[in-house]
Amino acid sequence: MESNNKKDRIFISYMLNVVGFFGFLSGLHRIYNGKTGTGLLWLFTFGLLGVGQFVDLFLISNMVEEHDQKLRLKAGLSPLGVPLTQAAVASQVYQPSGNQLMVKLLEAAESRGGTLTVTQGVKATGASFTEVEAVLKDMLKSGYVKIDNDPVTGAVTYHFHEI
């Protein structure tokens, strides 16, 4: 529908330009496309003695596009027609799978000197507490980590002895 509207605006602009070639109301195509100042100049100078009217034959498409973009901005839309005030919301959040989550946890532990709490794992990976805790418990069962409590906070801490 927007494409037809644009084609209509271009057609009307060309028709107004052609009318201006005959000396009647030169510059109406510019006023129609929001260029009021130069439109009035064309009107009072007969399209800059026809030269401006002729040059505009090549510029009308750009005039229409510029005017459409200004109208979209006034309406609160981006150049692609997306509302500017609408918050961008992700429809899906990336959740690492088992092996990917394990690698992310290993990277997080490595950056923390070989120790990691469940909360730190959640923060580093974006996975849920349940998922992080399950992967860390699997790693504990496999012997990749040891478990202890932080002496200051009492938080359960997983020690990656190979890192």
Side-chain angles (χ1 to χ4, degrees):
M1 179 161 162
E2 187 175 317
S3 178
N4 287 338
N5 187 19
K6 185 176 179 179
K7 287 178 185 177
D8 292 345
R9 288 190 63 79
I10 289 174
F11 176 76
I12 292 169
S13 296
Y14 276 114
M15 289 298 104
L16 290 172
N17 188 316
V18 169
V19 167
F21 270 118
F22 296 110
F24 305 109
L25 304 173
S26 298
L28 280 184
H29 64 286
R30 285 186 160 269
I31 295 170
Y32 178 70
N33 285 300
K35 297 189 173 287
T36 309
T38 56
L40 291 174
L41 178 66
W42 262 235
L43 186 65
F44 293 121
T45 61
F46 302 105
L48 295 176
L49 301 175
V51 174
Q53 204 72 11
F54 176 75
V55 170
D56 279 352
L57 285 172
F58 303 100
L59 301 178
I60 284 178
S61 293
N62 290 336
M63 275 188 238
V64 170
E65 183 63 35
E66 279 180 36
H67 187 62
D68 283 350
Q69 284 184 4
K70 286 179 186 175
L71 291 176
R72 281 189 203 107
L73 286 174
K74 281 184 181 178
L77 301 174
S78 75
L80 299 174
V82 178
L84 294 173
T85 56
Q86 184 176 352
V89 178
S91 61
Q92 246 181 336
V93 177
Y94 168 73
Q95 293 292 332
S97 65
N99 285 341
Q100 293 169 332
L101 181 56
M102 192 179 295
V103 170
K104 293 254 185 215
L105 289 171
L106 287 168
E107 290 170 353
E110 186 176 38
S111 70
R112 290 177 171 76
T115 62
L116 190 68
T117 66
V118 174
T119 304
Q120 292 168 335
V122 168
K123 186 176 177 188
T125 63
S128 71
F129 282 92
T130 307
E131 293 171 315
V132 169
E133 193 168 26
V135 169
L136 288 172
K137 283 182 180 179
D138 285 344
M139 293 173 80
L140 176 66
K141 288 177 191 173
S142 301
Y144 295 116
V145 296
K146 293 180 183 175
I147 194 168
D148 197 7
N149 287 74
D150 185 285
V152 177
T153 64
V156 176
T157 304
Y158 292 86
H159 297 275
F160 294 76
H161 48 83
E162 293 180 2
I163 296 179

